[in-house]
Amino acid sequence: MPSDGGAGTLHDVSGPVYPGMWSYAQLPALAGRMARFAAAPQTTIEEGGFATHRLEMDTHTGTYLETSAHVLAGGRLLESLAPADLVFRAVVVRVPEKGPRGWVTADELEAACPPPAGEDALLVDTGWGRMWTRPGYVADTPAFAADCAAWLRARPFRLLGVDVP
């Protein structure tokens, strides 16, 4: 998550993708239903004059985007979005740092979020992003308490970004 909050500054909030990284496939309910990220040489310079790699990954690998089609039949598909649809002014909200299986509450969001002033995106920093490369990133992730749904629906944000899986 960005640390300076500078107006007009672009921030890359993505995490790295690498062999052996975290995956939802490590959760018992999803084992065998989701792919783990894998990369393997396909063509080498010595063999073909150029180098390529074969990649395998689930669409929910690394930093990813979800649309309503993730959970709603007939929902908007990601491929229907243009790149310009994914550039937003954002407000970053830092809630008290969460440990394993901690909860983000609506009261914490309310206390940390300034009134929206034209921002299209809300980025919530729980501190869990620091666990990206560590065991437990998925299995022990903090979560949003049920009261956050109503809080979020009452705000004008078009995109929600979080540092938790």
Side-chain angles (χ1 to χ4, degrees):
M1 291 278 171
S3 60
D4 67 336
T9 304
L10 292 177
H11 295 278
D12 178 356
V13 295
S14 62
V17 176
Y18 52 90
M21 69 177 291
W22 64 267
S23 169
Y24 293 112
Q26 68 196 62
L27 298 174
L30 299 175
R33 295 174 49 194
M34 297 184 80
R36 294 189 65 100
F37 177 79
Q42 183 172 343
T43 305
T44 65
I45 294 172
E46 296 76 22
E47 294 172 349
F50 57 91
T52 64
H53 285 76
R54 174 181 290 282
L55 302 177
E56 180 181 0
M57 64 184 188
D58 192 274
T59 57
H60 284 65
T61 298
T63 305
Y64 60 89
L65 297 168
E66 286 185 0
T67 63
S68 59
H70 178 60
V71 294
L72 298 174
R76 187 169 186 189
L77 298 172
L78 185 59
E79 56 265 28
S80 73
L81 300 176
D85 293 330
L86 302 173
V87 177
F88 298 100
R89 291 183 356 179
V91 60
V92 176
V93 170
R94 290 183 173 84
V95 297
E97 191 167 299
K98 301 300 169 193
R101 300 179 188 232
W103 290 98
V104 176
T105 67
D107 286 344
E108 290 173 328
L109 291 172
E110 181 67 28
C113 187
E119 295 88 0
D120 290 318
L122 173 65
L123 304 178
V124 180
D125 181 1
T126 69
W128 194 249
R130 75 187 186 295
M131 296 295 293
W132 183 274
T133 60
R134 298 183 188 167
Y137 179 72
V138 173
D140 294 328
T141 186
F144 286 76
D147 65 351
C148 292
W151 188 90
L152 289 165
R153 276 193 305 274
R155 304 300 179 285
F157 300 112
R158 296 187 315 147
L159 180 136
L160 171 64
V162 297
D163 65 346
V164 298

